[in-house]
Amino acid sequence: MFRNRGLAFRLSFLVLVSCAFIFVFIIGYNYIVTRKILIDDLRESAQNKAFVVANAIEKSLSQVASFPEHIAYFMESETEFEEEEILGLLSSVLTNNPNVYGSTIAFAPYAFDQQKLYYAPYYYRDGDDIKFKYLGGSDYDYFYMDWFQIPQELGVKIWTDPYYDESGGEILMATVSVPFYQKKGTEKKFLGVITADISLGFLQNTVTSLRIGKTDYGFIISKNGVFMSYPDKNFIMNETIFAVAELKKDKLLRKVGKAMIRGEYGFSNMNSFVRNEKGWLVYVPLSSSGWSLGIFISNTELMAEITNLTEIVILIGLLGFALLLVVIVLIARSITGPIRKLVEKTGNISKGDFNFELKPIERTDEVGKLTSSFIMMRNSLKKYIKELKATTAAKERMESELKIAHDIQMGILPKAFMPSEKMPFSLWALLEPAKEVGGDLYDYFMIDEENFCFVLGDVSGKGVPAALLMAVTMTLIKSLAKVSKDPADIMAKVNDELAKENDACMFVTTFCGILNMKTGKVVYANAGHNPPLMIKKGQKVEYLKLAKGPAVGVLENIEYKKESLILKPGDAIYMYTDGVTEAFNDRDEEFSEKRLLETIELYRDEEAKDLLRKTLQVVHDFSQGVPQSDDITMLVLKYSGGIIKK
Amino acid sequence: MKKVFFLIFFLLVLSSIYAAEKPFEKVTFVPQWVPQAQFAGYYVALEKGIYKKYGIDVEIVQGGPRVSPIEYLKDKKTDFATMWLASAIQERDRGVKLVNIAQIIQRSSLMFIAKRTSGIQVPADMNGKKVGIWPDVFKIQPEAFFQKYGLKVKKIPQSFSINLFLHGGVDVVLAMWYNEYHLILNAGYDPEDLNTFFFYDYGLNFPEDGIYVLEETFKAKPELCKAFVKASLEGWQYAFENKKEAVKIILKYQKKANIPANSVHQKWMLTVMESIINGNKKKHKYGVLNKEDYDRVIKILKEEALIKKVFEFKDFYKGLDTYVQK
């Protein structure tokens, strides 16, 4: 997706993604640190609150417990019990302490009166009134009730678990119960218990009056984990913290419950058991009763502050992010806008349109420089192409002229010539120019009835000047040969003619021979040309050993040496220009004189025409399509000997 | 042939009309305690229309401390009632002519529990300790247990609250597996914090709840008894297979009776019920009174001089399996 997007998009995207990362990291870090601080704060304040609540409850409970304790002390010091006195004590408990719901002195069987199984006068509240009744009977067998039996068995003061006192106080209550004894020396006889009841409503009110937060709540569990105070009244007495843990399949809650009933202090991160939310539970023991107070602070409450803060941070971040987005897009646009324009214009250029409008940008940055460079480039290209068009037109004109020149040059060369059967020799020549107009030349003509002149040369340079020089040289040789039958003389004269006013310093290498058809004698002169190959019957082909002579056209007044050889019937002479031996292949190797020698040796017995054609093919095969660097010219003369037939 | 077919068809139509119009037989049933999973099978059979399926219209009288099944049977205020085998035998000894038509709970769930910290691991460790005891039928097995192991313990009468034990007022508490044991677990004790002594494991298996009727009722309406037992057993089966639904039904009746309704506790109770109703697969058959168990209960009751006479098993037990023998 990225590769196809524009520069502006990529730039904006990368910058924004990086910023988003940084932003998320900062918010996350901020959140974690703030949370830790808040939780530490919370722990301290929650524990403080719990201590305050616990102390308040403890104070009330120990105040309630102090009455039966005092009465027990008093009872143990008495030897005889007067009912009037007992009732007075009990009623004073209720009148003096509004937290006490009811109170009794419950005697063990027959302990108060030999005639009475039960004796338990009970004062209790009913609204604002204080009422009185005797407890005990077949439907209220108090000897087996927790508040009687447990202190009896344990011999110490106890706080009971919550219970509904049916046929007694008729409310949900908990009772503090103190046993009292008749002491005779070291012997102790259990006489009964003195109790004070508290309504669980009182506990509930104490806990709920300490409002901690909107969704927070407090609760008290008994020594056995039974709820004594809880926001949901159905839980009280019916549920234990362990039953809730089993219901919720919350192992942590069971663990915390055990710690609570062991009288431990704690602060634990856990699930609420009222609502479906996480929070913190702080718990402190109510030591005198063996109960435990828990305060649950929900995460929502705790996190309200931090959530608020985080929300603000996120809002600021998002606003910043939006601003950043706008700024980055603007910057990216300002950079890429001109570039995009340039891109469009480049499209124009590629279509060949240079006449578009492009205003230089008044900026010195890279984009400004790029634009002005682009304009300069456009202008240069425009100029160049204009010039190129003119040049091309000129070149085209020249090429057509060159074509004409070539045709003319080819016209100058003798047409494919096959000496008539009357002649005692055969001859074939070919010229393959490297450029349209070549610098090689060859010519042959009869001087008189006996003598046949043949010439092969190579003009220095190529193209039109070489062709012109070639034409001049050919014309000179042809005309001079009419008056002189000496090739050396002809060469010398041609040289003198050409060397005159040769400002261009052009020259021609030439081999010129005159064959006496009767005798087979060839007189020849060489002006700096490659030695021809001699194909002598019965001998190996070899290069003709020549006297050295400079190329014609360089210096005036040069003497050329006249040499001669005898061609016997069946002998042949093969001449060539350096276009043959200096043909290159793609490995930069020359065709070389050696290879030429071998090739001619191979085809020595072919007809003149075939010999040249096949040799040329070998050269072409060798160069394998490497463009020809020089004109290739070959001429072969095969002497058959005999008489000139008429 | 056509006539015969017509006749058969006519008879079929007639019989179906007769069956449809046959009224449900109205009966009452008293479980020996308040609605709880201990009686899940009966409440489920009622709620799921299983009794109706068997052609009985059952009214379940709400049990509790003020409703004595034996009094209800004697006074003919009910047709069916549940009670412990040992109670029923004692009542028959006292002259109430009742018969067992199905034994539901095969395995005694009565147990002693001691805190692990008390160091009471084997029966002998109970010597000299305070042991909580319930009255009446509940104390028969403990007494036999003390005798069997020659224990001298301080027997403390206990109420149905476990607080005396939790506060340390007794070292050993008498408990029902399906009830008090779970309450102790829910007071923060883990199973490994407790040492348990099932009477079942100490050769004192007393089958508990069984279904009883007066002998005269059984003689007059054996088919009705059969139908009631079959429907009740099917109710139990349904309850075991659909515990969630069964617990819901129980909770409904508990709320109706204004007693604490705790689904976790009822689920526990139902699970234990399944175990003790199925009993020992080798010895016990679903709903059938095992003669060995019967003989053991008779023997111990005689030893403790709680009964004077010994009754024949076949006179006392009229379960579903006994019909086949006829």
Side-chain angles (χ1 to χ4, degrees):
Chain A
M1 71 154 218
F2 224 61
R3 221 165 270 175
N4 301 328
R5 298 297 184 136
L7 210 56
F9 175 82
R10 286 162 80 160
L11 185 68
S12 316
F13 183 77
L14 289 175
V15 170
L16 287 176
V17 164
S18 312
C19 285
F21 267 112
I22 296 167
F23 174 58
V24 167
F25 176 78
I26 291 173
I27 289 180
Y29 181 77
N30 178 61
Y31 180 83
I32 289 165
V33 170
T34 319
R35 189 170 184 270
K36 196 185 169 298
I37 294 168
L38 279 177
I39 287 172
D40 288 347
D41 267 10
L42 171 88
R43 179 203 291 262
E44 207 168 309
S45 74
Q47 268 166 351
N48 286 342
K49 269 177 197 164
F51 280 131
V52 170
V53 179
N55 281 337
I57 294 169
E58 277 287 77
K59 208 176 147 194
S60 308
L61 292 182
S62 51
Q63 200 188 4
V64 169
S66 69
F67 292 101
E69 276 170 332
H70 288 148
I71 295 173
Y73 182 77
F74 170 76
M75 296 292 279
E76 284 179 359
S77 61
E78 291 282 297
T79 45
E80 290 288 318
F81 305 118
E82 294 290 330
E83 179 159 28
E84 209 174 312
E85 199 174 21
I86 288 170
L87 298 185
L89 276 172
L90 285 176
S91 66
S92 74
V93 171
L94 265 72
T95 44
N96 288 335
N97 193 333
N99 289 339
V100 176
Y101 175 81
S103 183
T104 183
I105 299 174
F107 280 83
Y110 310 110
F112 179 75
D113 185 335
Q114 297 286 329
Q115 306 298 314
K116 284 179 181 163
L117 176 61
Y118 304 102
Y119 181 74
Y122 181 54
Y123 279 96
Y124 63 104
R125 290 179 201 280
D126 184 5
D128 292 337
D129 303 331
I130 293 172
K131 290 195 173 169
F132 173 80
K133 67 176 166 190
Y134 288 104
L135 299 175
S138 61
D139 59 346
Y140 198 85
D141 193 0
Y142 66 75
F143 306 130
Y144 303 114
M145 289 185 174
D146 287 348
W147 58 263
F148 188 91
Q149 204 179 15
I150 298 172
Q152 179 191 2
E153 292 302 329
L154 296 179
V156 291
K157 175 191 93 181
I158 63 120
W159 275 95
T160 67
D161 271 39
Y163 64 102
Y164 184 79
D165 194 24
E166 210 172 342
S167 313
E170 301 278 358
I171 58 151
L172 270 179
M173 59 166 69
T175 301
V176 61
S177 184
V178 181
F180 66 100
Y181 300 87
Q182 190 179 53
K183 290 175 182 166
K184 273 185 188 162
T186 52
E187 258 179 62
K188 272 168 83 178
K189 191 188 164 206
F190 175 74
L191 291 181
V193 300
I194 301 138
T195 73
D197 305 328
I198 53 159
S199 151
L200 289 191
F202 156 71
L203 276 185
Q204 184 82 352
N205 291 341
T206 315
V207 176
T208 48
S209 68
L210 308 148
R211 286 225 61 97
I212 302 133
K214 266 175 271 167
T215 56
D216 302 341
Y217 57 87
F219 62 89
I220 296 172
I221 58 167
S222 79
K223 205 172 167 51
N224 301 328
V226 179
F227 285 104
M228 311 197 65
S229 158
Y230 192 76
D232 179 356
K233 280 192 178 143
N234 285 328
F235 270 51
I236 296 167
M237 196 183 89
N238 287 340
E239 292 283 359
T240 73
I241 196 165
F242 304 104
V244 173
E246 191 180 334
L247 181 71
K248 304 246 172 191
K249 295 188 173 63
D250 189 341
K251 283 185 182 154
L252 179 64
L253 182 57
R254 185 171 176 92
K255 216 175 122 195
V256 166
K258 288 176 97 171
M260 286 178 83
I261 63 171
R262 277 198 303 266
E264 290 175 12
Y265 294 83
F267 185 70
S268 180
N269 185 13
M270 57 194 302
N271 288 316
S272 163
F273 30 95
V274 175
R275 287 174 214 92
N276 198 9
E277 61 182 356
K278 278 250 170 197
W280 296 85
L281 178 68
V282 58
Y283 49 93
V284 288
L286 303 170
S287 351
S288 69
S289 53
W291 302 341
S292 184
L293 169 75
I295 296 175
F296 189 87
I297 296 148
S298 79
N299 265 351
T300 354
E301 193 86 6
L302 164 65
M303 293 301 150
E305 213 173 319
I306 175 170
T307 309
N308 207 4
L309 182 69
T310 310
E311 273 170 9
I312 290 170
V313 172
I314 289 176
L315 192 70
I316 291 171
L318 285 178
L319 284 176
F321 202 71
L323 191 69
L324 198 64
L325 180 80
V326 171
V327 169
I328 286 174
V329 168
L330 285 180
I331 290 175
R333 282 254 173 98
S334 80
I335 293 172
T336 58
I339 293 180
R340 207 177 304 133
K341 236 176 229 168
L342 283 182
V343 170
E344 268 170 42
K345 303 301 179 190
T346 316
N348 284 359
I349 289 183
S350 70
K351 282 179 210 144
D353 173 18
F354 293 91
N355 295 319
F356 49 82
E357 200 179 333
L358 189 61
K359 281 179 200 152
I361 302 177
E362 307 249 326
R363 269 160 56 164
T364 52
D365 62 2
E366 289 82 350
V367 176
K369 283 177 187 163
L370 180 67
T371 309
S372 54
S373 295
F374 188 80
I375 292 170
M376 267 167 71
M377 185 190 81
R378 194 267 308 257
N379 293 341
S380 303
L381 270 176
K382 211 168 155 184
K383 197 176 148 202
Y384 174 72
I385 284 174
K386 202 172 164 189
E387 284 170 8
L388 191 66
K389 270 183 184 164
T391 315
T392 310
K395 199 183 162 200
E396 271 170 7
R397 199 168 57 241
M398 234 154 91
E399 268 172 5
S400 82
E401 282 167 5
L402 273 173
K403 182 85 178 52
I404 296 164
H406 174 252
D407 292 348
I408 293 170
Q409 192 197 14
M410 285 298 147
I412 293 170
L413 293 173
K415 290 284 169 305
F417 171 77
M418 191 63 198
S420 70
E421 281 175 8
K422 292 177 260 178
M423 300 297 180
F425 64 91
S426 61
L427 179 142
W428 197 263
L430 62 80
L431 188 153
E432 205 173 69
K435 287 193 175 171
E436 294 299 308
V437 186
D440 283 9
L441 62 94
Y442 68 83
D443 203 1
Y444 43 83
F445 46 86
M446 302 295 294
I447 298 170
D448 51 35
E449 294 209 333
E450 279 183 28
N451 294 300
F452 178 75
C453 181
F454 58 94
V455 184
L456 192 127
D458 185 357
V459 181
S460 68
K462 287 163 199 99
V464 176
L468 285 174
L469 188 57
M470 165 223 170
V472 170
T473 309
M474 278 177 72
T475 314
L476 278 173
I477 292 173
K478 210 163 191 171
S479 56
L480 286 169
K482 304 277 180 192
V483 289
S484 172
K485 288 186 184 73
D486 180 356
D489 188 35
I490 294 170
M491 285 296 106
K493 281 181 176 148
V494 171
N495 179 49
D496 287 346
E497 284 299 319
L498 289 183
K500 262 184 235 165
E501 295 170 30
N502 182 6
D503 296 337
C505 269
M506 297 183 77
F507 57 87
V508 188
T509 63
T510 319
F511 181 89
C512 176
I514 297 171
L515 167 73
N516 185 305
M517 288 187 284
K518 273 187 185 163
T519 59
K521 182 180 178 183
V522 178
V523 286
Y524 60 90
N526 183 38
H529 198 76
N530 307 50
L533 278 160
M534 288 308 296
I535 307 164
K536 290 218 161 207
K537 210 170 178 189
Q539 290 176 26
K540 282 203 165 170
V541 179
E542 60 178 8
Y543 284 99
L544 186 62
K545 288 186 180 64
L546 292 171
K548 280 181 183 165
V552 292
V554 184
L555 288 167
E556 280 179 87
N557 302 322
I558 286 176
E559 295 274 320
Y560 289 90
K561 196 175 176 189
K562 179 180 155 189
E563 289 173 282
S564 68
L565 57 89
I566 302 291
L567 287 176
K568 289 176 183 157
D571 289 350
I573 181 164
Y574 168 87
M575 288 176 282
Y576 65 95
T577 57
D578 56 6
V580 177
T581 51
E582 287 168 17
F584 285 92
N585 67 5
D586 55 0
R587 289 191 299 278
D588 233 16
E589 291 166 343
E590 269 186 6
F591 186 69
S592 81
E593 290 171 354
K594 187 171 163 269
R595 270 198 195 90
L596 180 62
L597 187 71
E598 287 163 6
T599 309
I600 300 301
E601 180 70 61
L602 188 63
Y603 300 123
R604 59 183 292 161
D605 296 329
E606 301 280 342
E607 289 287 318
K609 187 183 173 182
D610 292 337
L611 174 64
L612 294 194
R613 231 178 39 216
K614 287 184 177 172
T615 306
L616 183 66
Q617 191 56 49
V618 171
V619 174
H620 281 167
D621 289 350
F622 173 78
S623 56
Q624 282 171 342
V626 174
Q628 191 181 332
S629 63
D630 205 350
D631 298 347
I632 290 174
T633 308
M634 299 179 205
L635 187 151
V636 67
L637 186 152
K638 280 197 150 186
Y639 185 67
S640 49
I643 315 116
I644 310 158
K645 292 160 193 167
K646 292 201 177 169
Chain B
M1 278 300 276
K2 265 187 182 175
K3 273 183 186 173
V4 176
F5 273 127
F6 181 74
L7 196 71
I8 290 170
F9 177 75
F10 180 74
L11 282 172
L12 278 173
V13 169
L14 208 83
S15 66
S16 68
I17 289 168
Y18 176 76
E21 285 182 352
K22 186 181 153 193
F24 291 119
E25 188 141 2
K26 281 200 170 177
V27 297
T28 52
F29 167 67
V30 178
Q32 80 258 39
W33 198 244
V34 293
Q36 55 180 358
Q38 186 186 354
F39 310 109
Y42 317 109
Y43 286 102
V44 165
L46 180 64
E47 279 295 301
K48 300 304 292 181
I50 298 170
Y51 284 128
K52 283 247 163 98
K53 197 175 92 184
Y54 282 87
I56 332 169
D57 183 6
V58 175
E59 186 206 335
I60 299 181
V61 177
Q62 189 188 308
R66 290 188 182 91
V67 178
S68 158
I70 194 70
E71 296 301 324
Y72 267 63
L73 276 179
K74 256 202 292 197
D75 301 347
K76 292 181 184 157
K77 273 156 78 185
T78 186
D79 304 286
F80 301 95
T82 63
M83 64 187 91
W84 280 26
L85 177 62
S87 305
I89 293 172
Q90 283 174 285
E91 290 304 334
R92 197 176 160 99
D93 184 61
R94 283 176 206 139
V96 185
K97 283 245 168 185
L98 42 73
V99 292
N100 178 315
I101 56 169
Q103 184 57 41
I104 302 299
I105 298 180
Q106 304 287 2
R107 183 196 192 288
S108 165
S109 67
L110 196 68
M111 66 199 292
F112 274 141
I113 303 171
K115 291 174 192 164
R116 194 168 53 84
T117 50
S118 71
I120 298 169
Q121 284 174 336
V122 291
D125 295 336
M126 290 185 200
N127 246 329
K129 300 283 183 181
K130 287 186 186 173
V131 179
I133 301 287
W134 282 320
D136 309 328
V137 73
F138 298 102
K139 70 175 187 193
I140 303 170
Q141 282 156 285
E143 292 292 357
F145 181 86
F146 298 142
Q147 207 170 358
K148 185 170 181 178
Y149 293 97
L151 303 177
K152 287 236 152 41
V153 301
K154 284 181 208 154
K155 293 173 214 165
I156 309 288
Q158 66 179 35
S159 67
F160 284 93
S161 137
I162 52 166
N163 292 326
L164 184 64
F165 172 68
L166 295 175
H167 276 89
V170 289
D171 300 303
V172 179
V173 70
L174 191 60
M176 300 304 292
W177 185 22
Y178 54 74
N179 199 356
E180 286 78 14
Y181 177 67
H182 187 244
L183 294 177
I184 293 170
L185 295 187
N186 272 344
Y189 288 87
D190 291 332
E192 55 270 23
D193 296 335
L194 302 168
N195 291 335
T196 57
F197 302 85
F198 283 100
F199 291 103
Y200 175 84
D201 293 331
Y202 290 89
L204 294 170
N205 188 36
F206 272 35
E208 292 169 0
D209 304 4
I211 303 174
Y212 293 88
V213 294
L214 289 176
E215 203 169 71
E216 58 185 271
T217 314
F218 178 73
K219 274 183 181 156
K221 296 170 176 173
E223 288 307 311
L224 175 68
C225 295
K226 195 171 151 187
F228 184 82
V229 169
K230 275 189 170 174
S232 301
L233 290 176
E234 201 175 310
W236 275 113
Q237 206 53 46
Y238 186 91
F240 298 149
E241 283 159 14
N242 305 278
K243 291 204 179 66
K244 259 191 186 165
E245 193 185 351
V247 167
K248 241 186 197 172
I249 291 170
I250 288 299
L251 291 180
K252 189 180 114 183
Y253 279 91
Q254 288 194 316
K255 275 172 194 157
K256 219 164 126 187
N258 277 324
I259 55 174
N262 184 316
S263 68
V264 175
H265 188 55
Q266 292 308 315
K267 198 182 156 212
W268 164 271
M269 194 181 283
L270 185 57
T271 309
V272 173
M273 277 296 144
E274 188 175 11
S275 167
I276 60 180
I277 286 175
N278 286 322
N280 183 335
K281 285 278 175 200
K282 278 181 210 156
K283 280 194 241 164
H284 298 126
K285 270 163 73 189
Y286 192 43
V288 173
L289 178 60
N290 178 288
K291 189 164 181 303
E292 258 179 58
D293 285 335
Y294 173 80
D295 290 343
R296 179 185 315 111
V297 175
I298 291 278
K299 182 176 164 265
I300 291 168
L301 289 176
K302 198 89 174 73
E303 277 171 8
E304 293 192 18
L306 291 170
I307 51 171
K308 297 179 191 83
K309 294 167 276 191
V310 173
F311 335 98
E312 286 286 317
F313 180 68
K314 66 176 170 51
D315 295 335
F316 178 78
Y317 175 61
K318 302 288 180 189
L320 284 179
D321 54 322
T322 61
Y323 292 71
V324 189
Q325 289 168 6
K326 279 186 191 174

